[in-house]
């Protein structure tokens, strides 16, 4: 097994998408609201709340890929604009990040130029026929004292969605609270609420593992269904941690020239991820 074979297999594991009920409901719900917004001229957005590791970032990538691959635009790369709110967000950083996603160079954030850059942004969003705006890490607006910058940002986003007719979806961890606590008018433009939670051990978790090992053809992952309880204990039902574990286990197996993951590979993969100090808690011992 060559180094290229190993890299390709690990990359496939990383990119596997399983449309489990929570993921699919959020994905389908967002797509339906984007379509409704296009048909009605009334942009309807929402929020997605998901703890770290449950698939929030992966969902954004899947949505972007879907619109890029299935758009009839000449340049489909800007069909979806996705940015992340900075740790200390302000309207200047929001405008600049969206403009950079549209291919504009970073600008000088002088107050006198901010209105000009906003006008450029709104025109670019309309001209490029952007269909959806996603802002990740929106929980940053809920941290600490909610000062005027949070209100300025929601005012900015209201103006953008009103003038462009593009729906906005904000993504965040559980810190992302009730949007109406920041701005009732902003919340009314984003009425949809979606959640993705870690898997509890049960039927859905078992179905998820079966679908996962069926989706990976280069290496046999069938062992994960036979030790699903230990897998859940190791990952706490987090899809991201599951991928970390399987990538580490697959690396061990393929380095030894095997195309099937065994329990010993999961044991070693767990140690690689969490360190040798966690060996006493290794569920595969």
């Amino acid at each position: 097994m060559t180094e290229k074979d190993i890299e390709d297999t690990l990359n496939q594991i990383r990119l596997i998408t399983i449309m489990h009920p929570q993921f699919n409901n959020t994905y389908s719900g967002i797509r339906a609201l984007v379509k409704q917004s296009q048909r009605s001229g009334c942009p309807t957005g929402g929020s997605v709340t998901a703890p770290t590791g449950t698939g929030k970032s992966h969902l954004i990538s899947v949505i972007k890929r879907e619109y890029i691959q299935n758009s009839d635009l000449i340049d489909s790369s800007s069909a979806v604009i996705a940015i992340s709110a900075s740790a200390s967000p302000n309207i200047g950083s929001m405008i600049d990040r969206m403009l950079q996603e549209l291919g504009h160079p970073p600008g000088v954030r002088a107050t006198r130029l901010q209105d000009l850059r906003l006008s450029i942004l709104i025109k670019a969003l309309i001209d490029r026929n952007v269909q959806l705006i996603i802002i990740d890490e929106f929980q940053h607006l809920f941290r600490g004292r909610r000062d005027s910058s949070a209100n300025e940002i929601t005012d900015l986003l209201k103006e953008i969605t009103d003038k462009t007719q593009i729906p906005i979806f904000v993504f965040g961890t559980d810190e992302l609270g009730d949007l109406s606590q920041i701005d009732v008018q902003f919340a009314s433009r984003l009425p949809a609420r979606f959640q993705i939670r870690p898997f509890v051990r049960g039927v859905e978790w078992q179905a998820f593992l079966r679908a996962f090992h069926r989706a990976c053809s280069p290496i046999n992952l069938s062992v994960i269904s036979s030790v699903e309880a230990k897998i859940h204990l190791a990952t706490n039902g987090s899809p991201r941690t599951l991928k970390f574990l399987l990538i580490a286990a697959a690396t061990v197996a393929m380095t030894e020239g095997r195309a099937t993951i065994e329990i010993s590979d999961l044991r070693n993969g767990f140690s690689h991820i969490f360190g040798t100090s966690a060996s006493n808690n290794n569920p595969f011992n």
Side-chain angles (χ1 to χ4, degrees):
M1 191 170 292
T2 67
E3 182 65 24
K4 179 68 163 54
D5 292 334
I6 295 175
E7 289 180 4
D8 289 346
T9 300
L10 298 183
N11 192 52
Q12 181 172 337
I13 294 174
R14 180 180 65 84
L15 293 175
I16 286 176
T17 300
I18 304 300
M19 285 289 181
H20 61 85
Q22 292 184 77
F23 194 96
N24 186 54
N25 289 342
T26 305
Y27 170 78
S28 301
I30 291 174
R31 290 194 65 200
L33 286 172
V34 172
K35 188 66 174 178
Q36 174 183 298
S37 299
Q38 292 171 335
R39 287 173 169 171
S40 67
C42 181
T44 305
S47 65
V48 178
T49 305
T52 297
T54 53
K56 175 171 60 69
S57 298
H58 189 59
L59 174 61
I60 294 172
S61 297
V62 170
I63 291 172
K64 287 193 69 174
R65 185 165 64 246
E66 168 68 20
Y67 278 92
I68 288 171
Q69 292 176 348
N70 296 290
S71 174
D72 57 3
L73 299 175
I74 295 175
D75 179 8
S76 61
S77 63
S78 57
V80 175
I81 296 299
I83 66 169
S84 293
S86 62
S88 300
N90 56 62
I91 59 176
S93 65
M94 287 282 183
I95 293 172
D96 278 355
R97 290 183 180 204
M98 288 191 204
L99 282 171
Q100 288 176 52
E101 278 288 296
L102 291 166
H104 290 252
V108 178
R109 293 185 192 170
T111 302
R112 65 182 184 277
L113 296 177
Q114 197 156 271
D115 288 344
L116 174 60
R117 291 186 66 74
L118 176 57
S119 298
I120 293 171
L121 172 61
I122 289 173
K123 184 178 186 304
L125 290 168
I126 295 171
D127 290 347
R128 299 285 288 275
N129 197 21
V130 173
Q131 299 171 47
L132 170 63
I133 297 172
I134 294 174
I135 304 174
D136 195 11
E137 307 297 350
F138 206 73
Q139 75 275 2
H140 290 159
L141 270 73
F142 285 79
R143 287 179 176 169
R145 184 173 58 86
R146 295 169 195 157
D147 54 20
S148 60
S149 65
N151 294 326
E152 289 172 354
I153 289 171
T154 55
D155 285 346
L156 168 72
L157 297 177
K158 284 186 293 185
E159 183 174 357
I160 288 173
T161 195
D162 288 349
K163 290 186 176 179
T164 64
Q165 302 296 293
I166 300 169
I168 294 175
F169 277 82
V170 296
F171 285 55
T173 63
D174 286 341
E175 292 179 78
L176 178 58
D178 183 357
L179 297 179
S180 64
Q181 293 179 5
I182 295 180
D183 187 325
V184 173
Q185 292 182 342
F186 176 66
S188 71
R189 290 164 170 82
L190 283 72
R193 299 289 178 266
F194 298 100
Q195 282 192 336
I196 303 175
R197 312 306 301 171
F199 283 97
V200 296
R201 189 184 166 219
V203 174
E204 282 191 12
W205 171 247
Q206 294 162 2
F208 176 72
L209 293 181
R210 287 195 300 271
F212 201 99
H213 79 69
R214 285 197 299 265
C216 188
S217 54
I219 190 165
N220 186 344
L221 303 177
S222 58
V223 68
I224 66 177
S225 291
S226 63
V227 292
E228 56 86 13
K230 294 181 177 181
I231 295 280
H232 190 272
L233 186 60
T235 63
N236 291 317
S238 163
R240 177 186 292 166
T241 308
L242 175 66
K243 287 186 176 182
F244 287 165
L245 176 63
L246 294 181
I247 285 171
T251 300
V252 174
M254 290 187 293
T255 299
E256 296 178 359
R258 292 182 284 108
T260 298
I261 286 183
E262 301 172 356
I263 293 180
S264 60
D265 301 319
L266 294 171
R267 182 186 309 118
N268 291 328
F270 184 93
S271 295
H272 290 170
I273 293 171
F274 296 104
T276 54
S277 62
S279 60
N280 291 336
N281 298 317
N282 192 325
F284 306 106
N285 283 336

